[in-house]
């Protein structure tokens, strides 16, 4: 059996056909597949504007640019995430202040955030970046209510959470990152994610003005739409660079791959949930291993399956010796040397405890029953001999 990794893409014959179709066509980039992927994605998560970009990091950068993040501002960012969740704020010259987590959800701790905001001078913070860690859908409705009290905008980093949902106070199912509560949300299509285009990302917002800014920043800050031009239109060739933008465009080739994979998303989410159920039923009796707990009012997307154990280092090595390649998510961002040099060493104890004990077991929709059976056997052997 091949080494079983913590995450892995699945490419089908239909995916390959979709990519080959683009390669044989007229457009490699900026053709019809970009818009198709954007529209299909919006339909799936019930969003109004989806804007496809080169990767999740570019999506975060565009979100921060569109919200006007700039030098002199301070933005709150949950520390249990990939560095990009904070870096996007630094790209725009603003400062980051890190937030500790709720150990149950591993996402930001709402009551602690409320305390922090109440004790800060009004206007201290401009906004916050919240992460649906591992695919756990954050209660963005409560987060919105809190953010509104203090005049903050919200970026929802939903890179882990394609297809995650929670029930809001009106008993409606809300897809993570669909723009209902956060100002802007972002997704990533890195190979270990639910949709794997190699590199790829999506910005989502319900706000048409923000969507227009994201589109402008995505392509050098240049518009070709005569109705939007600031200077007189010289002719049909006219285009105008209005802001300092970037080339964060994604190709038609990758969007064809994304759109093809999106067609299987429901099936793949169900598969991930059934893998989680099997872990729960076959590892749940091990007292020294704590498994994710998911309340009934939400549907986890299980990008990752994160367990906690005091013997994390030993379990990690044991798995590696037995054909399983786990991972650890995450070293808290505030413990990264770049941020330590910038802001000094700080303590966020719950995220640090999480990091000391967390391990991501293999979780991907293409994992076979046999592969999962092997992972379970190896874990059981470690604890029970
Ligand atoms: C939570 C989170 N945010 C942002 C990113 C950045 O996405 P990308 O790798 O597509 O740039 C990742 C990628 O792994 C992520 O996990």
């Amino acid at each position: 059996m091949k080494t079983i990794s913590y995450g892995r893409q699945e490419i089908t014959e239909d995916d390959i056909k979709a990519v080959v179709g683009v390669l044989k066509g007229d457009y490699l980039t900026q053709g019809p597949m970009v818009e198709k992927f954007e529209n299909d994605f919006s339909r799936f998560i019930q969003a109004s504007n989806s804007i496809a970009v080169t990767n999740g990091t570019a999506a975060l950068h565009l979100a921060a640019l569109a919200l006007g993040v700039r030098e002199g501002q301070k933005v709150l960012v949950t520390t249990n995430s990939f560095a990009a969740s904070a870096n996007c704020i630094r790209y725009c010259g603003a400062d980051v202040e890190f937030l500790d987590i709720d150990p149950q959800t591993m996402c930001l701790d709402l009551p602690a955030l409320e305390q922090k905001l109440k004790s800060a001078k009004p206007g201290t913070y401009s906004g916050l970046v919240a992460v649906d860690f591992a695919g756990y859908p954050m209660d963005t409705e409560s987060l919105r209510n809190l953010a509104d009290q203090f005049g903050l905008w919200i970026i929802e980093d939903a890179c882990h959470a394609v297809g995650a949902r929670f029930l809001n106070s009106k008993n409606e199912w809300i897809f993570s990152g669909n723009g209902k509560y956060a100002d802007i949300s972002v997704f990533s299509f890195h190979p270990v994610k639910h949709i794997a285009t190699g590199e790829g990302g999506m910005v989502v917002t319900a706000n048409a003005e923000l969507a227009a800014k994201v589109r402008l920043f995505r392509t050098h800050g240049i518009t070709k739409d005569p109705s939007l031009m600031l200077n007189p239109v010289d002719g049909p060739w006219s285009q105008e660079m209005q802001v300092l933008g970037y080339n964060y465009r994604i190709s038609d080739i990758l969007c064809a791959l994304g759109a093809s994979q999106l067609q299987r998303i429901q099936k793949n989410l169900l598969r991930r949930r059934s893998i989680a159920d099997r872990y729960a039923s076959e590892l749940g009796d091990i007292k020294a291993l704590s498994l994710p707990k998911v309340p009934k009012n939400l549907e986890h997307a299980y990008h990752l399956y994160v367990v906690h154990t005091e013997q994390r280092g030993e379990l990690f090595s044991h798995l590696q010796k037995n054909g399983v390649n786990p991972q650890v998510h995450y070293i808290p961002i505030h413990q990264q040397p770049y941020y330590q040099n910038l802001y000094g060493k700080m303590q966020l104890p719950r995220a640090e405890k999480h990091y000391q004990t967390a391990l991501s077991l293999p979780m991907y929709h293409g994992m076979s029953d046999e592969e999962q059976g092997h992972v379970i056997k190896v874990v059981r052997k470690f604890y029970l001999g």
Side-chain angles (χ1 to χ4, degrees):
M1 200 185 285
K2 272 203 326 219
T3 300
I4 304 163
S5 178
Y6 81 94
R8 168 179 174 82
Q9 76 275 17
E10 179 201 53
I11 301 293
T12 64
E13 282 307 315
D14 282 344
D15 293 343
I16 293 167
K17 262 193 227 146
V19 169
V20 170
V22 173
L23 293 175
K24 289 180 173 169
D26 294 331
Y27 298 95
L28 293 186
T29 191
Q30 300 308 284
M33 293 317 292
V34 177
E35 216 175 304
K36 175 176 168 44
F37 186 33
E38 292 176 343
N39 291 341
D40 291 356
F41 195 80
S42 281
R43 205 169 307 117
F44 171 56
I45 63 162
Q46 298 168 0
S48 39
N49 301 286
S50 296
I51 302 142
V53 297
T54 40
N55 54 52
T57 304
L60 281 162
H61 188 190
L62 289 168
L65 286 165
L67 288 163
V69 177
R70 61 189 172 276
E71 209 177 324
Q73 293 184 339
K74 199 180 257 189
V75 174
L76 296 160
V77 180
T78 178
T79 192
N80 181 34
S81 188
F82 183 61
S85 306
N87 294 351
C88 61
I89 303 305
R90 295 292 302 138
Y91 296 158
C92 298
D95 278 305
V96 172
E97 190 168 314
F98 290 104
L99 293 171
D100 210 345
I101 57 166
D102 169 349
Q104 205 65 35
T105 64
M106 298 173 262
C107 301
L108 70 76
D109 183 340
L110 269 175
L113 173 63
E114 186 168 7
Q115 276 318 106
K116 186 182 192 70
L117 292 171
K118 278 187 175 153
S119 56
K121 232 176 73 200
T124 304
Y125 305 108
S126 305
L128 60 93
V129 181
V131 180
D132 301 296
F133 175 77
Y136 188 104
M138 281 208 58
D139 173 4
T140 43
E141 183 184 29
S142 302
L143 188 63
R144 177 79 270 164
N145 291 337
L146 184 59
D148 282 348
Q149 282 176 47
F150 294 91
L152 307 182
W153 48 253
I154 303 171
I155 295 178
E156 181 181 2
D157 182 337
C159 285
H160 295 184
V162 177
R165 305 195 297 176
F166 72 98
L167 272 180
N168 71 1
S169 57
K170 292 189 191 133
N171 240 17
E172 301 160 325
W173 281 107
I174 305 297
F175 279 98
S176 291
N178 78 353
K180 170 112 180 141
Y181 298 114
D183 296 272
I184 306 199
S185 310
V186 302
F187 293 87
S188 161
F189 308 125
H190 178 271
V192 294
K193 303 293 197 295
H194 300 79
I195 294 171
T197 59
E199 296 287 349
M202 197 72 85
V203 184
V204 174
T205 177
N207 180 322
E209 220 172 284
L210 290 175
K213 284 187 185 168
V214 169
R215 289 204 172 90
L216 195 64
F217 280 116
R218 170 177 67 171
T219 182
H220 307 280
I222 290 175
T223 181
K224 292 180 180 165
D225 181 347
S227 71
L228 299 177
M229 290 191 190
L230 304 174
N231 288 336
V233 178
D234 293 334
W237 60 87
S238 279
Q239 46 172 278
E240 228 175 47
M241 184 192 140
Q242 300 179 334
V243 292
L244 184 62
Y246 298 80
N247 180 355
Y248 283 164
R249 296 186 306 247
I250 185 170
S251 71
D252 250 40
I253 305 167
L254 296 184
C255 286
L257 183 54
S260 173
Q261 294 193 12
L262 188 56
Q263 289 181 26
R264 308 194 295 280
I265 188 74
Q266 288 293 12
K267 181 172 138 258
N268 292 344
L269 282 163
L270 288 177
R271 175 66 188 144
R272 283 172 185 265
R273 288 175 190 139
S274 91
I275 289 170
D277 288 346
R278 185 172 171 200
Y279 277 140
S281 80
E282 297 188 28
L283 296 175
D285 60 319
I286 302 173
K287 299 272 176 296
L289 192 67
S290 158
L291 306 181
K293 289 173 195 63
V294 180
K296 290 266 178 292
N297 63 344
L298 57 85
E299 289 177 1
H300 202 294
Y302 289 111
H303 159 52
L304 301 170
Y305 191 82
V306 178
V307 300
H308 291 90
T309 175
E310 294 297 332
Q311 296 135 285
R312 194 273 307 280
E314 296 90 325
L315 177 60
F316 195 102
S317 306
H318 173 79
L319 286 162
Q320 280 197 315
K321 276 188 216 127
N322 287 283
V324 180
N325 201 7
Q327 193 40 284
V328 171
H329 299 90
Y330 285 101
I331 300 169
I333 310 176
H334 72 275
Q335 293 190 323
Q336 297 293 352
Y338 168 79
Y339 284 103
Q340 286 179 328
N341 288 337
L342 205 57
Y343 300 128
K345 291 194 178 169
M346 69 190 84
Q347 275 159 5
L348 295 170
R350 295 187 298 280
E352 288 166 29
K353 176 72 184 170
H354 159 80
Y355 165 56
Q356 293 302 329
T357 55
L359 181 145
S360 301
L361 288 178
M363 168 56 83
Y364 50 94
H365 46 260
M367 180 158 60
S368 68
D369 289 342
E370 192 196 356
E371 286 168 326
Q372 190 182 11
H374 178 74
V375 177
I376 289 168
K377 196 177 80 195
V378 173
V379 173
R380 293 193 70 80
K381 182 142 182 61
F382 176 77
Y383 286 105
L384 310 170

